[in-house]
């Protein structure tokens, strides 16, 4: 049963990454990223729903693909019950925060999902102290620890606001859902 559960987790994570690639390929040259979140502009409100699916080019998508595959699989495998709360929250809440508080421009990309998953998996592993959760926490810290710089306003073209909001959501949910998926 555990092996089947793992296969399902991989298939779901692969399916989502495949969807991102299909959108990028089908929208190639159409400038779909213009439909991202435009802070405090009514036209940018629908971007809350679509921004995580859009990327500012193939380099941007490539940077998000492997982390989404790895972290999505870990999340669905280790925290299947919590995943149904965590995934929608880290998909939507950072976009809302960006629309309300971010600097101007257009914010797109699935990196908010990456930051939310990293922070959830890391903090959940520290709190729960079960071997698999701690191992996942250490793996995430080792593989993605450098992401911490992405929550700071260092690079002009990076939506640090999305990264910061998703990190906060991931940490809060790890604390709130600490008794799930034991």
């Amino acid at each position: 049963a555990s092996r089947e559960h793992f296969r399902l987790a991989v298939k779901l994570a692969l399916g989502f990454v495949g969807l991102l690639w299909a959108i990028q390929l089908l929208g190639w040259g159409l400038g779909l990223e213009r439909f991202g979140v435009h802070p405090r502009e009514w036209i940018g409100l629908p971007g809350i729903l679509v921004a995580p699916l859009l990327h500012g080019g193939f380099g941007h998508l490539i940077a998000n693909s492997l982390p989404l595959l790895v972290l999505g699989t870990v999340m669905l495998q280790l925290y299947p019950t919590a995943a149904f709360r965590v995934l929608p929250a880290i998909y939507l809440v950072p976009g809302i925060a960006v629309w309300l508080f971010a600097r101007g421009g257009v914010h797109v990309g699935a990196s908010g999902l990456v930051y939310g998953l990293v922070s959830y998996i890391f903090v959940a592993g520290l709190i729960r102290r079960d071997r698999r959760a701690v191992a996942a926490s250490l793996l995430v810290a080792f593989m993605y620890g450098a992401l911490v710089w992405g929550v700071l306003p260092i690079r002009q073209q990076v939506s640090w606001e999305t990264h910061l909001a998703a990190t906060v959501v991931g940490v809060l949910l790890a604390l709130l859902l600490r008794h799930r998926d034991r």
Side-chain angles (χ1 to χ4, degrees):
S2 181
R3 181 172 279 151
E4 286 303 312
H5 185 74
F6 177 73
R7 283 191 186 120
L8 178 61
V10 170
K11 285 178 187 174
L12 290 170
L14 256 177
F16 183 72
V17 171
L19 172 68
L20 297 180
W21 276 90
I23 290 168
Q24 185 69 29
L25 289 167
L26 292 170
W28 197 9
L30 296 178
L32 293 180
E33 61 274 4
R34 73 179 178 269
F35 297 110
V37 178
H38 297 252
R40 292 165 307 287
E41 294 179 26
W42 293 112
I43 195 161
L45 210 47
I48 292 168
L49 295 175
V50 297
L53 303 174
L54 306 174
H55 288 80
F58 285 100
H60 188 201
L61 177 57
I62 289 166
N64 285 329
S65 293
L66 185 60
L68 281 173
L69 181 60
V70 171
L71 297 165
T73 300
V74 170
M75 182 71 197
L76 292 164
Q77 172 68 20
L78 287 183
Y79 307 110
T81 306
F84 288 101
R85 290 198 167 95
V86 173
L87 293 171
I90 62 174
Y91 187 95
L92 292 171
V93 174
I96 295 167
V98 164
W99 191 82
L100 290 171
F101 304 114
R103 65 201 146 99
V106 183
H107 299 255
V108 295
S111 56
L113 295 172
V114 172
Y115 277 79
L117 288 168
V118 163
S119 61
Y120 182 90
I121 294 165
F122 179 72
V123 173
L126 295 179
I127 293 172
R128 292 165 191 248
R129 296 190 180 136
D130 100 15
R131 276 199 327 250
R132 288 175 15 167
V134 169
S137 183
L138 292 173
L139 178 70
V140 161
F142 176 73
M143 289 176 70
Y144 302 112
L147 288 179
V148 72
W149 298 108
V151 302
L152 301 173
I154 295 172
R155 291 180 48 210
Q156 185 63 35
Q157 358 23 322
V158 173
S159 181
W160 64 272
E161 299 95 332
T162 301
H163 300 166
L164 180 59
T167 299
V168 169
V169 171
V171 168
L172 290 175
L173 288 172
L175 295 170
L176 290 170
L177 302 174
R178 66 186 169 278
H179 299 297
R180 303 244 181 218
D181 299 305
R182 289 234 167 244

